[in-house]
Amino acid sequence: MNIASALIKQVIELQDFETWTSVRKHYLPAEYHSLFKVIDSHCEKFHKMPTMEELRFEIRDNATKEKLFAVDAVEVEADAFMLLEYLKNEYAQTEI
């Protein structure tokens, strides 16, 4: 399971705006940056988390749409905040 996919899925499914405000683009692998931009843009514009359905309509780029479908297919049972902490630690280790 990809941690970035799991985090995005949990944040969207649970509408966890609080956790999303702590996510930074550089915590995620490069292939998730376009999806991050779409979600972040939606949050800034509407002041709420998008649903998967809303994202399907907003995303025009095929590569980003495919990434969204991959995220949607992930089965997650972990807490979004815990997943974010793992990504932060992974990022910090890479930077060191």
Side-chain angles (χ1 to χ4, degrees):
M1 171 179 72
N2 184 318
I3 302 298
S5 292
L7 171 64
I8 293 171
K9 168 97 179 239
Q10 282 295 81
V11 166
I12 291 172
E13 274 195 350
L14 301 175
Q15 295 291 291
D16 190 351
F17 194 76
E18 185 178 337
T19 300
W20 181 256
T21 58
S22 300
V23 175
R24 301 294 173 259
K25 185 167 88 171
H26 54 267
Y27 295 160
L28 303 171
E31 65 263 17
Y32 291 89
H33 289 183
S34 61
L35 187 55
F36 174 87
K37 286 179 189 177
V38 172
I39 296 168
D40 207 45
S41 170
H42 182 97
C43 289
E44 292 218 6
K45 186 175 181 180
F46 299 106
H47 304 289
K48 71 174 194 77
M49 288 300 301
T51 63
M52 284 291 185
E53 198 64 32
E54 290 170 329
L55 288 173
R56 285 187 193 105
F57 287 117
E58 287 180 33
I59 297 172
R60 300 286 176 223
D61 177 50
N62 282 336
T64 307
K65 244 183 199 177
E66 286 178 23
K67 186 55 71 180
L68 179 65
F69 289 134
V71 166
D72 196 22
V74 171
E75 292 294 324
V76 186
E77 293 180 16
D79 177 55
F81 186 76
M82 181 191 71
L83 295 167
L84 175 60
E85 288 301 310
Y86 182 83
L87 279 176
K88 283 182 184 178
N89 290 337
E90 198 174 78
Y91 172 75
Q93 288 176 1
T94 313
E95 289 300 302
I96 292 173

